[in-house]
């Protein structure tokens, strides 16, 4: 469900050896079954598993925060332009 525009960057962070103890974080978009796009933040740590290294982590939706941040930047840009 990873957005096509984010797949290459996400895959690049997961390819190659993953050393034990490594903590990785990435933000990327996902496509929901209903066609909507959401932003998620994923953080995981490489640990030792019975069959070799495994990643344990969490992924959470940050869409609302992204939208608020984008709106703030746009507002600041309009204000800066108006002050010129």
């Amino acid at each position: 469900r990873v957005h096509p525009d984010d797949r290459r960057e996400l895959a690049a962070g997961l390819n190659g050896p993953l050393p034990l103890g490594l903590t990785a974080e990435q933000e990327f978009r996902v496509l929901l079954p209903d066609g909507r796009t959401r932003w998620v933040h994923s953080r995981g740590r490489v640990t030792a598993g019975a069959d070799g290294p495994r990643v344990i982590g969490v992924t959470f939706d940050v869409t609302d925060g992204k939208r608020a941040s984008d709106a703030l930047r746009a507002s600041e840009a309009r204000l800066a332009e108006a002050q010129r």
Side-chain angles (χ1 to χ4, degrees):
R1 299 246 175 235
V2 175
H3 191 284
D5 294 343
D6 296 343
R7 287 180 185 158
R8 182 171 294 177
E9 184 177 341
L10 183 62
L14 298 174
N15 288 334
L18 298 173
L20 292 179
L22 172 74
T23 299
E25 293 186 59
Q26 290 186 296
E27 281 190 3
F28 54 95
R29 292 167 289 180
V30 295
L31 297 173
L32 301 182
D34 65 6
R36 291 181 299 144
T37 299
R38 304 292 290 184
W39 278 94
V40 296
H41 182 96
S42 184
R43 180 181 178 144
R45 176 173 248 206
V46 180
T47 64
D51 298 326
R54 66 181 186 167
V55 178
I56 297 176
V58 62
T59 299
F60 49 96
D61 189 320
V62 295
T63 304
D64 292 341
K66 283 279 208 187
R67 288 180 182 155
S69 180
D70 291 346
L72 178 60
R73 273 195 299 280
S75 178
E76 289 172 339
R78 285 191 304 274
L79 180 60
E81 185 63 31
Q83 291 177 345
R84 288 185 187 167

